Amino acid sequence: MKLIVRGKAKLRGAFSVPGDKSISHRALLLGAIATGETRVENCLVAEDVLSTARCLQQLGVQIDGIGTPSIIVHGVGGANLKQSEEPLDCGNSGTTMRLLMGILAAHAFESWLTGDSSLQKRPMDRVAIPLQRMGAKIEGRTERFLPPIRMRGSKLRPIEWALPVASAQAKSAILLAGLFADGTTLVHEPAPSRDHTERMLQAFGAKIFVKELTVAVVGPAKLKGTTVIVPGDPSSAAFFLCAAAVIPDSEVTALGISVNPTRSGYLEVLKQMGATVLLHNERIQGGEPVADVTVRGGKLKGATISGDLIPRTIDELPVLAAIATNAEGVTVIRDAQELRVKESDRIAAMVSELRKLGAQVEELPDGMVVHGGSKLMGAEVQSHGDHRVAMALAIAGLLAEGETVIHDADCVAISFPQFPQVLASLGAEVEMA
Ligand code: S3P
C-alpha cells in the first residue's frame, strides 16, 4: 500500500486514537499469568498486539474477543503456560519477544521465538543476559542474541541488575521473571523509561516498590486478574499533535490519551519549540494519568532533545524530526543511539527520507541535526518497513509543496491501522493506493 499526502492543509478538530500499544501488550501478558479473568477494555487492535495474543494462545491461554477492543484473558495462574509445538512468531514486535522471554524464563520447557526480518535484526542480549543470570538457558543466532531465540526456563534466582540502556522492555522482562523467583529482584535504570509494567503489576496485586531509578519486585508473586481500561496511545496521537503544532492556523485535540510523564516528553518538546499545549479533563484511569490534549499551531523554533528526555520521547523522535524541518533554527537530537535498533534504523531512515523531501539534515552516530526553514517539496519516499517512519513521513508530506508518496506503508497496521482515516478527518488530503 502507498500513502499519498498533499501538503499545506491546516488541521482542525478533535480525534480519538486506539488503545496504547505498550499497555495493551502488558494487559494480555499479565492477564495470562494471573489467576482468574482479566478484562481488557479499549485494547489496541493492531498487528503487534495480535502477535502477543497469538503467542499466548499458542502457549495455552484462552483469550476471548481477539481482534476486538474488548478482550477477556483467562489466566493460567502462575508458571502454568503450556509448551508450544510451533515456534512463537512475534512478528514485528520487540515488546512481545522481550516480555515473553521474561515469562518463559520461568517455564521449564523449550521455546523458540522468532519474528519478521526487522525483528530478526534486533538484539535480545539486553534481556537474554540477565535472564541467563537468573537461571534460564538462552541461545540466539549471534553473540548479541539476534532472533530466532531458543530458550529453556527453570526455577529462577532473584538478581540485582543495572541496565546499561534505559529500556522499558528490558526492565519489564526482568521484572516479569522476578515474579517467579524466590526473593527480591532489583532493576536499576540509567534514566526513567516507561513505567506501565510497574503500575500494572501493582494493579494485579504484586509487591512492587519504586524508588528513584530502582524497581524492586518480590517473588514469588500471585497475580490476581483485574480489569484494565487502556488509555489512548500518546505515540499515535503524537503524529497529529506534532503536525498541528507546526502548521499555521491548526488546532487539534486528542481525546483520552495517556499523559504518563514517562511518555509525554514530546509535549514538553512541543512547548519548548513554542507550541501551545493544553491539558483538559485530567484524570487517573486504571492507575494511568489520562487527559484530553489540545495543541495549537504557531511559529516553532528549534530545540535540543537529549539526555533523560530521550527515553521519554523515544517513539516520537521520528515525527519530531519531521516537524523540526519547518521550525526556525536548528534542532539537535543526541543520546538517541537506541533509535538505530528499533523497527528500522530510525536515524538512517529519517535522515535519508527527509533529505528526499529537500530537508537539510545531518546524521550523527546518536541522533541528527535538523536545520529548520528549508522548503520541502513533495517526493517519493520509503517507510523502511517501519510504521513510525511511514507515519512521520506522512506528516513531513503535509509540510511539503505538492504530493508526497510514502511507499510500503502497510506497516502502519503494526500500531495504528486507522492513521490515514484520522488524518483525513482533521482536514488533511490523504489517500491510500
Ligand atoms: C516499549 C518500550 C520502548 C518503545 C517501544 C515499546 C514497551 O522500547 O520504543 O515502542 O512497550 O516497553 P525500549 O524499551 O526498548 O526502549
Side-chain angles (χ1 to χ4, degrees), residues 347-360:
I347 297 176
M350 287 309 295
V351 169
S352 70
E353 303 310 310
L354 287 177
R355 278 184 186 157
K356 290 181 189 164
L357 295 167
Q360 257 187 287

Side-chain angles (χ1 to χ4, degrees), residues 95-115:
T95 310
T96 305
M97 186 170 286
R98 293 188 174 126
L99 272 56
L100 210 47
M101 284 172 70
I103 291 174
L104 290 172
H107 285 78
F109 52 70
E110 185 171 281
S111 297
W112 282 86
L113 296 101
T114 188

Side-chain angles (χ1 to χ4, degrees), residues 217-273:
V217 68
V218 182
K222 278 206 161 63
L223 304 188
K224 242 181 112 247
T226 183
T227 297
V228 180
I229 303 170
V230 183
D233 194 325
S235 302
S236 297
F239 296 104
F240 316 114
L241 296 175
C242 290
V246 76
I247 302 174
D249 210 19
S250 294
E251 178 173 324
V252 302
T253 299
L255 300 170
I257 60 168
S258 164
V259 287
N260 181 320
T262 61
R263 298 289 296 283
S264 59
Y266 73 101
L267 296 176
E268 287 161 39
V269 174
L270 290 181
K271 278 191 217 162
Q272 197 190 325
M273 293 177 90

Side-chain angles (χ1 to χ4, degrees), residues 20-23 25-26 48 94-96 98-99 122 126 165-172 193-194 196-197 235 263 311 314-315 338 341-343 346 387-388:
D20 185 69
K21 180 155 81 69
S22 293
I23 297 176
H25 282 299
R26 285 160 173 77
D48 263 15
T95 310
T96 305
R98 293 188 174 126
L99 272 56
R122 299 181 65 187
R126 61 186 60 189
V165 285
S167 161
Q169 294 178 354
K171 173 178 64 176
S172 301
S193 67
R194 63 193 67 193
H196 308 300
T197 302
S235 302
R263 298 289 296 283
I314 191 74
D315 290 343
E338 274 294 295
V341 288
K342 292 292 178 190
E343 288 83 328
R346 287 184 174 160
H387 55 129
R388 297 205 200 279

